[in-house]
Amino acid sequence: MTSRPKAITTFEVYKSIQPIYTGGDVGLSRNGQVLVTCLGEEALLTNLNTGQLLARVEGDGEVLTALLVTPSVSHLITCSRSLSMRIYSLEPSNDSPELFNAVLQRTLKPHTTPVITVAVDRTGTLLATGGADGVIKVWDINGGYVSHTFRGHAGVISALHFFEAHESIVQSRTSTKQRRKSQRSQEDDNDGHTVGDEEKESSALLFYLASGSEDGKIRIWDLIKRKAITTLDSHVSVVRSLCFSREQNALLSGSRDKTAIIWDPRTWKARKIVPVLEGLETAGFLSTGEFFYTGGESNILRIWETETGREVTKEQVVGIEDSGILHILYNSSLDFLVTVHTNQTLVLHSLAPLLTLQLGDKLDPLPILRHLSGTHDEIIDLSYVTQVRELLALATNSEDIRLVSLAARTDVSSSTTGQYFGADVALLQGHQDIIICLDVDWSGCWLATGAKDNTAILWRIDHLNQSYESFTVFTGHAESLGAISLPNQPPPVGSTAHSNPLDHPPSFLLTGSQDRTVKRWEVVPKSIVKGEKRNPRAIYTRKAHDKDINAIATNHNSALFASASQDRTVKIWSVEEGEVQGVLRGHRRGVWSVKFAAKETPPITGDSGPASTSRGLVLTGSGDKTVKIWSLSDYSCLRTLEGHTNSVLKVIWMPLPQHNNDTEVSEPSRHRGVQIASAGGDGLVKIWDVNSGECDCTLDNHTDRVWALTVNPSDGTLISGGGDSVVTFWKDTTSSTIAASAAASTARVEQEQQLQNYIHHGSYREAITLALQLNHPARLLALLTTVMNTNPPEAMSLSGLLAVDDVLQHLADEQLFTLLLRLRDWNTNARTAPVAQRILWVLAKSYPATRLAGLKGKGKGSGLKDVLDGLRAYTERHYKRMEDLVDESYLVDYTLREMEAVGFVDDDIAMTGVAA
């Protein structure tokens, strides 16, 4: 009986959600479509409409300190801690017009200290840089040279802003006469302008640069006169933002001294000092300048009237400690603005309410259009939610749950409407500390979370109506929750609970805590407690383990649940009574994850042979780097899987192949058996064959430990999330891989047969070309040896046959380099060295040195120099051996001559030296 060949299993990354912002500067194009962010040492360009990555610009190994994109997205400027500034030209990609190619134009060293802040003018041609050395430089972006250098600040440059103003309304405070002239000019403006006045003002448009530093001083620099025209010193702390409004003829400055000041350019005195009562990080005018915005340490966006200095927005709740707004991105052509927060999230706010706002009215906080997560931080747990699994719930080392869209975007016309893959849909806020665990019921409509605040929350997810609300809060544990589980048994088909799960919450909830207890909670429908306040109660509490509880899982019919602990044991409990049914012992370290097998799981083969699985199977992963499969019949370990190099943090059962009439199952999937997946602290995800105990494949796309793992039961898509804040979607490509492998194998057999036919018929030209293509060194050597031994050789041929000469003279670069590698290998053997030397001579005669010098291999460091070094070493050895043979031949000639002289010429003389 022949054994069935082992089925191949392959997975490939087909989508991923990756961080785009981890702190630093942020930029937005004039049209509001291209978002530029810092990701460590890299700069990323992202389409704000679709979330598509447009370009990734690698850094120089040091973290970026400043970043800027021109309004028209023609240039990108990056500055890093290495004191270098790079200017890139952004050009449309040849692959797709939506993408960009960042072409490095020049690398400069602008300051002797790191660049802290940068600014660009309205036209995108001038760049200002401010460093920690207190020096300001103005650069021509296209030319790459310094046009201005300003000194005067005593500390770090913290804010820069280009602006334009008419000479008639911007005067320096140099004399009383000039101030009086400015006042008279203002009176004339109030009386009305003539056409001549407007032409005069437009002809006297001047260019200025405003700068602020950590000493609280603001300087106004005249770019034409190349000097400071005034110094403003009303702030007493770091100036963080500067903005000029031509409509209001005012300069706005925001500082960490908790004030915003509106300056009058006619006198350069404070027109209005606005006490904002929070340290400001950003401020700027909106539209025509009637309103201005501020953002800072309170983590709230506030709108103010420019004329009166009155706050327009109603009182808002101040953010938690250590939170705040770092930047606000706005352009007068946009109907929204973007706030950038300290937790690396970006929030889009609608400006529509300002269009109908009357002076003196109060305004609700600006409506939030979208959230955009710059990074999901460390992903601790994740799961599909909603009935059609179109959302992904993420626990991201914070007190909130993020719901992320998995649907493809249909509306890409606006940055504020629609959703795309990876877009934030909702933020579930309710916990007061980091969320550790989550679980979803059978329908995906009910989500349970447990956190370090000692509470669990049951959430109702109604995505159709955009409703995501906290249904019940469970309070009772003495320490933080580390495990949670909901029943996953679906109700009978046709029942109201099955057809309308949103109105039928799960019947119970199981939690495990660091207080070493497990609790079963009663979930009371709101319809029962309507009109009265009733806190959920624990049906029972059990002292379960001697150490922290890491995981809880419920079996397919909700009759049993398992608890895994740091005490190295897993206990099986009855759900109804809360009594221990069995204990699984065998792990040498704490158990991190536990899962029950599905009801339809077929019998498996353990280490000792076929195993009884009538009562079910349990899968565990531990800190001892192993995965174990247990039988619930006798609570024994059936198989131990080893392969991870660090703790196994998550284990799951892969979905079984569907054998119904609606789903077509490929032959490989039908016969590959039961599989499990494990994720570990080594950053790897492994797929295991349960029956053989072997690792079918290893998936590697994370740079940090993988905490979270889940699978889509309908299509087998595997999702992993780790400490690198990356969510990876793995697609099962087993069927396509086997089909492609079979097709490639068939094609190779056909080509090899064709090669044999060419050799048999003496078609050396075609045979050599095909041998190079198939990478057959032995057959290629045999062919070239036959060609060299052709007798007589064809006239004017270098190799022996003119057809072969023609083939060798028209090789592609890849084929030519491959042939040189073969010549190098053949040259190491004295028997094949003549062929290698002859063909090398043919190539040297056929190709110019410039063509050969430009050859490069696929591997790192594999170039023509490496090949020639190998050829030279053995060639010198061969020539040395030939010289030695020539020298030895002289000794043979001498010996023969001496033997003739002695008389050893008779055939009857024995060579032993004794006469016969």
Side-chain angles (χ1 to χ4, degrees), residues 749-769:
V749 170
E750 293 176 353
Q751 288 177 329
E752 289 180 352
Q753 181 60 49
Q754 190 176 17
L755 176 60
Q756 292 285 2
N757 295 339
Y758 286 147
I759 296 175
H760 180 72
H761 292 94
S763 303
Y764 295 111
R765 179 192 184 96
E766 294 80 3
I768 292 175
T769 304

Side-chain angles (χ1 to χ4, degrees), residues 529-679:
V529 297
K530 187 176 181 180
E532 62 173 328
K533 185 176 181 180
R534 179 179 172 185
N535 295 325
R537 65 181 182 88
I539 299 176
Y540 59 73
T541 301
R542 298 288 184 266
K543 173 68 168 60
H545 292 273
D546 297 330
K547 292 186 179 180
D548 299 352
I549 299 174
N550 295 327
I552 286 182
T554 310
N555 75 336
H556 61 88
N557 59 5
S558 301
L560 300 174
F561 74 90
S563 60
S565 169
Q566 283 295 108
D567 64 6
R568 301 176 293 181
T569 65
V570 176
K571 292 186 178 181
I572 309 299
W573 307 74
S574 64
V575 172
E576 288 298 326
E577 297 83 12
E579 300 296 333
V580 176
Q581 306 297 305
V583 181
L584 310 181
R585 294 185 175 91
H587 282 295
R588 298 185 301 275
R589 292 196 177 181
V591 184
W592 283 102
S593 182
V594 60
K595 286 292 181 182
F596 283 93
K599 180 181 179 181
E600 301 81 9
T601 303
I604 67 170
T605 301
D607 292 331
S608 304
S612 174
T613 60
S614 57
R615 293 194 59 189
L617 299 172
V618 173
L619 179 65
T620 58
S622 167
D624 60 9
K625 310 174 188 177
T626 65
V627 177
K628 289 182 180 289
I629 303 172
W630 310 79
S631 171
L632 291 180
S633 300
D634 54 2
Y635 305 105
S636 63
C637 179
L638 301 179
R639 189 176 290 279
T640 299
L641 310 177
E642 298 180 350
H644 283 283
T645 59
N646 210 321
S647 300
V648 179
L649 304 175
K650 199 77 171 181
V651 291
I652 59 172
W653 294 87
M654 297 298 290
L656 299 172
Q658 302 293 327
H659 295 279
N660 52 42
N661 296 329
D662 298 333
T663 305
E664 182 180 354
V665 182
S666 64
E667 191 66 20
S669 299
R670 190 186 304 275
H671 294 295
R672 68 184 178 190
V674 182
Q675 291 180 322
I676 60 173
S678 62

Side-chain angles (χ1 to χ4, degrees), residues 8-10 666-669 733-747:
I8 300 174
T9 301
T10 58
S666 64
E667 191 66 20
S669 299
T733 58
T734 301
S735 300
S736 58
T737 300
I738 292 178
S741 178
S745 178
T746 302

Side-chain angles (χ1 to χ4, degrees), residues 322-555:
D322 297 331
S323 64
I325 295 177
L326 297 176
H327 311 279
I328 294 180
L329 309 178
Y330 172 71
N331 190 285
S332 58
S333 62
L334 304 177
D335 58 356
F336 67 93
L337 56 78
V338 182
T339 57
V340 183
H341 299 256
T342 54
N343 61 353
Q344 289 89 45
T345 60
L346 291 80
V347 183
L348 276 69
H349 301 264
S350 173
L351 297 176
L354 292 175
L355 300 177
T356 58
L357 181 67
Q358 301 296 326
L359 294 178
D361 292 345
K362 276 287 187 178
L363 182 71
D364 290 327
L366 295 182
I368 295 178
L369 301 173
R370 278 175 49 201
H371 282 85
L372 182 63
S373 296
T375 175
H376 291 301
D377 201 2
E378 190 168 2
I379 299 172
I380 301 176
D381 206 352
L382 55 80
S383 182
Y384 282 103
V385 290
T386 73
Q387 290 180 282
V388 294
R389 300 180 181 87
E390 56 185 334
L391 298 181
L392 189 68
L394 300 176
T396 60
N397 200 29
S398 68
E399 62 274 9
D400 304 324
I401 289 290
R402 296 177 181 176
L403 298 184
V404 177
S405 173
L406 301 182
R409 180 170 183 145
T410 55
D411 179 16
V412 296
S413 59
S414 173
S415 302
T416 59
T417 60
Q419 296 175 2
Y420 55 85
F421 180 87
D424 288 31
V425 175
L427 199 65
L428 307 186
Q429 298 177 319
H431 285 288
Q432 303 302 316
D433 209 336
I434 295 175
I435 296 173
I436 300 297
C437 52
L438 59 83
D439 192 28
V440 179
D441 74 333
W442 68 273
S443 66
C445 298
W446 297 93
L447 172 68
T449 58
K452 284 187 175 181
D453 59 4
N454 307 348
T455 65
I457 298 180
L458 182 65
W459 306 85
R460 183 177 181 271
I461 310 298
D462 184 5
H463 183 53
L464 184 62
N465 297 314
Q466 301 293 305
S467 173
Y468 318 96
E469 60 179 1
S470 172
F471 185 79
T472 308
V473 179
F474 303 89
T475 305
H477 280 289
E479 295 188 39
S480 64
L481 273 69
I484 199 165
S485 180
L486 289 172
N488 49 25
Q489 181 184 15
V493 178
S495 63
T496 56
H498 189 275
S499 59
N500 189 14
L502 285 169
D503 294 336
H504 297 81
S507 57
F508 66 89
L509 174 70
L510 295 169
T511 57
S513 169
Q514 286 186 359
D515 61 13
R516 306 170 188 176
T517 64
V518 294
K519 291 178 181 286
R520 179 186 173 186
W521 303 85
E522 177 189 17
V523 179
V524 181
K526 283 192 174 182
S527 58
I528 297 178
V529 297
K530 187 176 181 180
E532 62 173 328
K533 185 176 181 180
R534 179 179 172 185
N535 295 325
R537 65 181 182 88
I539 299 176
Y540 59 73
T541 301
R542 298 288 184 266
K543 173 68 168 60
H545 292 273
D546 297 330
K547 292 186 179 180
D548 299 352
I549 299 174
N550 295 327
I552 286 182
T554 310
N555 75 336

Side-chain angles (χ1 to χ4, degrees), residues 58-193:
E58 296 184 357
D60 56 7
E62 294 289 342
V63 176
L64 296 180
T65 59
L67 176 73
L68 183 141
V69 65
T70 56
S72 60
V73 201
S74 60
H75 292 84
L76 175 71
I77 295 91
T78 62
C79 303
S80 71
R81 289 182 181 175
S82 64
L83 307 184
S84 68
M85 178 175 73
R86 294 184 174 185
I87 300 178
Y88 296 89
S89 174
L90 299 177
E91 303 173 355
S93 173
N94 296 328
D95 300 332
S96 173
E98 298 177 355
L99 305 181
F100 290 100
N101 286 332
V103 181
L104 180 62
Q105 287 190 331
R106 53 185 55 89
T107 300
L108 307 169
K109 186 179 179 180
H111 297 266
T112 57
T113 58
V115 175
I116 304 301
T117 181
V118 291
V120 67
D121 74 328
R122 173 178 60 86
T123 62
T125 57
L126 294 180
L127 169 70
T129 60
D133 53 4
V135 177
I136 302 168
K137 293 185 178 181
V138 180
W139 305 76
D140 184 287
I141 295 180
N142 293 319
Y145 58 85
V146 178
S147 59
H148 302 72
T149 300
F150 299 127
R151 292 180 173 87
H153 286 289
V156 176
I157 306 300
S158 55
L160 292 169
H161 179 68
F162 285 98
F163 67 94
E164 303 169 10
H166 298 291
E167 185 179 13
S168 60
I169 61 175
V170 178
Q171 299 291 336
S172 62
R173 297 180 298 175
T174 56
S175 65
T176 304
K177 182 178 180 180
Q178 288 180 337
R179 289 199 299 271
R180 291 176 180 175
K181 182 179 179 181
S182 176
Q183 293 175 358
R184 289 195 301 270
S185 177
Q186 184 177 2
E187 293 175 358
D188 294 341
D189 291 340
N190 294 333
D191 295 338
H193 292 293

Side-chain angles (χ1 to χ4, degrees), residues 148 150 174 220-230:
H148 302 72
F150 299 127
T174 56
I220 309 299
W221 308 89
D222 190 322
L223 297 182
I224 298 178
K225 297 179 180 179
R226 298 174 179 269
K227 66 178 183 178
I229 62 174
T230 187

Side-chain angles (χ1 to χ4, degrees), residues 577-872:
E577 297 83 12
E579 300 296 333
V580 176
Q581 306 297 305
V583 181
L584 310 181
R585 294 185 175 91
H587 282 295
R588 298 185 301 275
R589 292 196 177 181
V591 184
W592 283 102
S593 182
V594 60
K595 286 292 181 182
F596 283 93
K599 180 181 179 181
E600 301 81 9
T601 303
I604 67 170
T605 301
D607 292 331
S608 304
S612 174
T613 60
S614 57
R615 293 194 59 189
L617 299 172
V618 173
L619 179 65
T620 58
S622 167
D624 60 9
K625 310 174 188 177
T626 65
V627 177
K628 289 182 180 289
I629 303 172
W630 310 79
S631 171
L632 291 180
S633 300
D634 54 2
Y635 305 105
S636 63
C637 179
L638 301 179
R639 189 176 290 279
T640 299
L641 310 177
E642 298 180 350
H644 283 283
T645 59
N646 210 321
S647 300
V648 179
L649 304 175
K650 199 77 171 181
V651 291
I652 59 172
W653 294 87
M654 297 298 290
L656 299 172
Q658 302 293 327
H659 295 279
N660 52 42
N661 296 329
D662 298 333
T663 305
E664 182 180 354
V665 182
S666 64
E667 191 66 20
S669 299
R670 190 186 304 275
H671 294 295
R672 68 184 178 190
V674 182
Q675 291 180 322
I676 60 173
S678 62
D682 52 10
L684 302 176
V685 177
K686 291 181 178 290
I687 309 297
W688 305 85
D689 187 312
V690 171
N691 290 302
S692 66
E694 297 180 359
C695 178
D696 285 345
C697 62
T698 299
L699 315 180
D700 185 6
N701 193 49
H702 293 274
T703 58
D704 204 342
R705 62 186 62 191
V706 181
W707 286 104
L709 198 63
T710 190
V711 65
N712 189 332
S714 59
D715 59 8
T717 299
L718 193 66
I719 305 180
S720 59
D724 55 0
S725 72
V726 174
V727 180
T728 305
F729 294 77
W730 305 91
K731 185 177 182 179
D732 189 349
T733 58
T734 301
S735 300
S736 58
T737 300
I738 292 178
S741 178
S745 178
T746 302
R748 189 172 184 84
V749 170
E750 293 176 353
Q751 288 177 329
E752 289 180 352
Q753 181 60 49
Q754 190 176 17
L755 176 60
Q756 292 285 2
N757 295 339
Y758 286 147
I759 296 175
H760 180 72
H761 292 94
S763 303
Y764 295 111
R765 179 192 184 96
E766 294 80 3
I768 292 175
T769 304
L770 191 55
L772 283 171
Q773 179 182 346
L774 295 177
N775 196 15
H776 278 323
R779 292 183 179 176
L780 182 60
L781 176 61
L783 283 170
L784 295 177
T785 303
T786 304
V787 171
M788 279 186 53
N789 295 333
T790 301
N791 192 14
E794 294 184 0
M796 305 299 292
S797 173
L798 299 177
S799 63
L801 292 176
L802 292 174
V804 175
D805 290 352
D806 185 61
V807 172
L808 297 178
Q809 292 169 1
H810 295 85
L811 295 175
D813 287 351
E814 183 178 356
Q815 292 177 327
L816 183 56
F817 189 81
T818 301
L819 181 57
L820 287 173
L821 290 176
R822 299 290 168 256
L823 297 180
R824 180 194 63 184
D825 297 339
W826 299 337
N827 195 49
T828 60
N829 193 317
R831 291 178 298 177
T832 57
V835 179
Q837 292 292 328
R838 179 72 173 272
I839 301 302
L840 181 62
W841 176 70
V842 174
L843 296 180
K845 289 284 188 179
S846 303
Y847 294 97
T850 54
R851 170 80 180 278
L852 297 175
L855 297 177
K856 291 183 180 180
K858 295 182 179 179
K860 184 177 180 181
S862 59
L864 183 65
K865 183 179 181 300
D866 301 319
V867 177
L868 293 181
D869 288 343
L871 283 168
R872 182 178 60 185

